Every structure is written in structure tokens, then in C-alpha cells.
Amino acid sequence: MENIQVALRLRPLNKREASRNEETVWKIPNSATVCLESAALKELVAAKKISSSTKNVFNFDYCFNPTHDNLHLYNSMVKRIALSSLNGINGTIFMYGQTGSGKTYTMMGYNKHEEQKDYDT
């Protein structure tokens, strides 16, 4: 039996983005939907970067917003798969996204006990 679930995580802004007062253009109106903020959509249409008919609402099995921490993500999606593998049930957790989209952050978080390297400069 296959059980494939697709989840999306909006990462928090990084230090550089926060220092520039950038804002996230995506919002999560419910636990399974992500869409462009209406102001961002209007700006992109006005700048002719997208057309008004461009799809801007996407559905997933679950959407995590930037305030969800790694423990919440683990308990919601990963724990069941990890514990099942200890009983001999195959499972895969696959992370996909462009560079800087938050894959490593989601899997590892930030090590608060070591000096952080700032890769954002």
C-alpha cells in the first residue's frame, strides 16, 4: 500500500531578508493551501511579471507556516515514518526545493550552541 503525502513549509525570513524589512509574499489560509498575498499578486500583475490568470493558489496534504518549529514538523509528518522504519516498514522523507528555500533549516534547524556562519552575505 502506498501512502504518499506532500507537505510544504514556508521558511522564516533569513537575517539578510529581515534586515531589509522584506516580507513573505505567500500566505497559508488553511492547513492545506498556500497562496500569494493579494498585495503581492497585484504588484506582480502591475509589473507584468505574471498575468492575472496565472494560478496563485496551491493545495498540498499539509502546509506549515514559518512559525511552525522543527519539532512540530517532525511530530506532524516525520515521526510516524521514522518509527515505522524501526519495525521494518520502508519509508522515505524527501526534501525538495531551490537553493535557499529552507531544506537544511527544516532538517537540521540552527545549532544554537555553536557560532553561526552567516551564509546570507
Side-chain angles (χ1 to χ4, degrees):
M1 177 177 153
E2 288 187 38
N3 183 6
I4 298 173
Q5 294 180 343
V6 179
L8 171 128
R9 183 184 195 185
L10 293 180
R11 66 166 173 78
L13 296 176
N14 62 36
K15 291 177 188 177
R16 181 185 57 192
E17 292 163 339
S19 71
R20 293 180 180 173
N21 295 320
E22 293 183 20
E23 296 180 8
T24 303
V25 298
W26 296 98
K27 69 177 180 177
I28 298 176
N30 62 59
S31 65
T33 304
V34 63
C35 61
L36 274 173
E37 290 276 1
S38 59
L41 177 60
K42 289 176 187 175
E43 186 178 317
L44 290 168
V45 170
K48 297 186 179 184
K49 294 189 177 188
I50 63 172
S51 73
S52 58
S53 63
T54 300
K55 184 175 179 179
N56 60 63
V57 177
F58 303 93
N59 295 306
F60 297 89
D61 293 304
Y62 198 87
C63 294
F64 296 94
N65 66 49
T67 61
H68 286 127
D69 62 10
N70 287 356
L71 183 59
H72 178 78
L73 187 93
Y74 172 79
N75 286 328
S76 299
M77 299 293 296
V78 176
K79 184 177 181 178
R80 178 183 55 82
I81 298 167
L83 293 177
S84 293
S85 69
L86 296 175
N87 293 320
I89 298 171
N90 292 332
T92 301
I93 301 161
F94 180 75
M95 305 284 300
Y96 175 80
Q98 70 185 65
T99 300
S101 63
K103 299 176 299 293
T104 301
Y105 173 83
T106 296
M107 292 298 284
M108 306 293 291
Y110 290 123
N111 186 345
K112 297 176 183 173
H113 303 291
E114 292 182 17
E115 185 172 298
Q116 295 292 316
K117 292 183 178 179
D118 189 5
Y119 295 104
D120 298 330
T121 58

